């Protein structure tokens, strides 16, 4: 039913200036219908690496991780990892890179080597010492803040009352 509605909409589309009797205008709807049915006629069989076959399937949508196939039985999503290499290449899908090894495992590998561990400790100590020197320099350059001493309230009240 949706296909017949699409055909009616396509036939009702104006193909140009209808006041002119151009022969190309008459065949515009026919050309659009031919393209529409040619795209529907491009059904083929898809076979997954596990052996499942999708007969007379048309690709309805291409997504980042797979394709949606429309068959007589319904719509199915097939992931690129389940498809053969030639189908993956046809849809320009590249296998994602494996994840990098975690940061902490590199530290664990470096810690196994005593020389590398000594370098890590020396580098960390030099950073801490540098930060301490900078903070000491900043503190030494600050002007001392001396505030006049205030008399406590008890003393101030005692003076006022005498």
């Amino acid at each position: 039913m949706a296909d017949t509605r699409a055909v009616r909409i396509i036939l009702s589309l104006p193909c140009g200036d209808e006041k002119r009797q151009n022969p190309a205008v008459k065949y515009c709807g026919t050309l659009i219908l031919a393209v529409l049915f040619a795209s529907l006629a491009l059904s083929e069989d898809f076979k997954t690496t596990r052996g499942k076959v999708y007969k007379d399937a048309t690709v309805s949508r291409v997504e980042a991780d797979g394709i949606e196939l429309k068959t007589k039985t319904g719509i199915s999503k097939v992931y690129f990892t389940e498809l053969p290499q030639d189908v993956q290449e046809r849809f320009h899908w590249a296998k994602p890179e494996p994840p990098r090894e975690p940061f902490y495992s590199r530290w664990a590998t470096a810690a196994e080597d005593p020389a590398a561990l000594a370098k890590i400790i020396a580098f960390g100590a030099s950073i801490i010492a540098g930060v301490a020197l900078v903070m000491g320099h900043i503190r030494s350059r600050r002007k001392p803040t001396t505030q006049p001493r205030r008399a406590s309230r008890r003393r101030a009240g005692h003076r006022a009352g005498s």
Side-chain angles (χ1 to χ4, degrees):
M1 180 164 164
D3 293 334
T4 58
R5 207 173 333 149
V7 170
R8 274 191 250 137
I9 291 171
I10 289 173
L11 288 176
S12 67
L13 290 174
C15 293
D17 189 7
E18 299 198 6
K19 292 180 182 176
R20 288 188 265 161
Q21 294 299 324
N22 191 349
V25 172
K26 292 180 184 178
Y27 299 108
C28 185
T30 309
L31 178 66
I32 292 173
L33 278 177
V35 170
L36 177 70
F37 288 120
S39 66
L40 293 176
L42 293 176
S43 63
E44 58 183 291
D45 296 344
F46 286 92
K47 186 175 183 180
T48 64
T49 54
R50 295 183 180 177
K52 185 168 182 173
V53 178
Y54 296 92
K55 293 234 180 228
D56 296 327
T58 57
V59 178
S60 60
R61 184 168 46 186
V62 179
E63 296 178 354
D65 58 347
I67 55 176
E68 278 190 9
L69 299 176
K70 192 176 197 180
T71 60
K72 291 178 184 176
T73 58
I75 297 174
S76 303
K77 180 165 183 175
V78 182
Y79 293 99
F80 284 121
T81 55
E82 300 172 358
L83 292 170
Q85 187 71 30
D86 61 330
V87 178
Q88 292 175 3
E89 290 171 359
R90 190 171 76 187
F91 290 102
H92 306 290
W93 184 73
K95 195 175 239 181
E97 292 182 11
R100 292 178 48 191
E101 90 178 75
F103 182 74
Y104 57 84
S105 68
R106 287 182 275 168
W107 277 99
T109 305
E112 290 175 3
D113 182 20
L117 185 60
K119 287 179 186 176
I120 291 170
I121 291 171
F123 181 71
S126 66
I127 289 176
I128 292 170
V131 169
L133 283 173
V134 169
M135 287 178 63
H137 178 72
I138 290 171
R139 283 187 177 169
S140 70
R141 302 291 290 176
R142 282 190 354 194
K143 293 181 180 177
T145 54
T146 56
Q147 296 178 353
R149 292 184 125 191
R150 286 187 182 174
S152 67
R153 288 187 181 180
R154 208 165 79 194
R155 285 189 180 178
H158 177 65
R159 288 184 196 160
S162 346

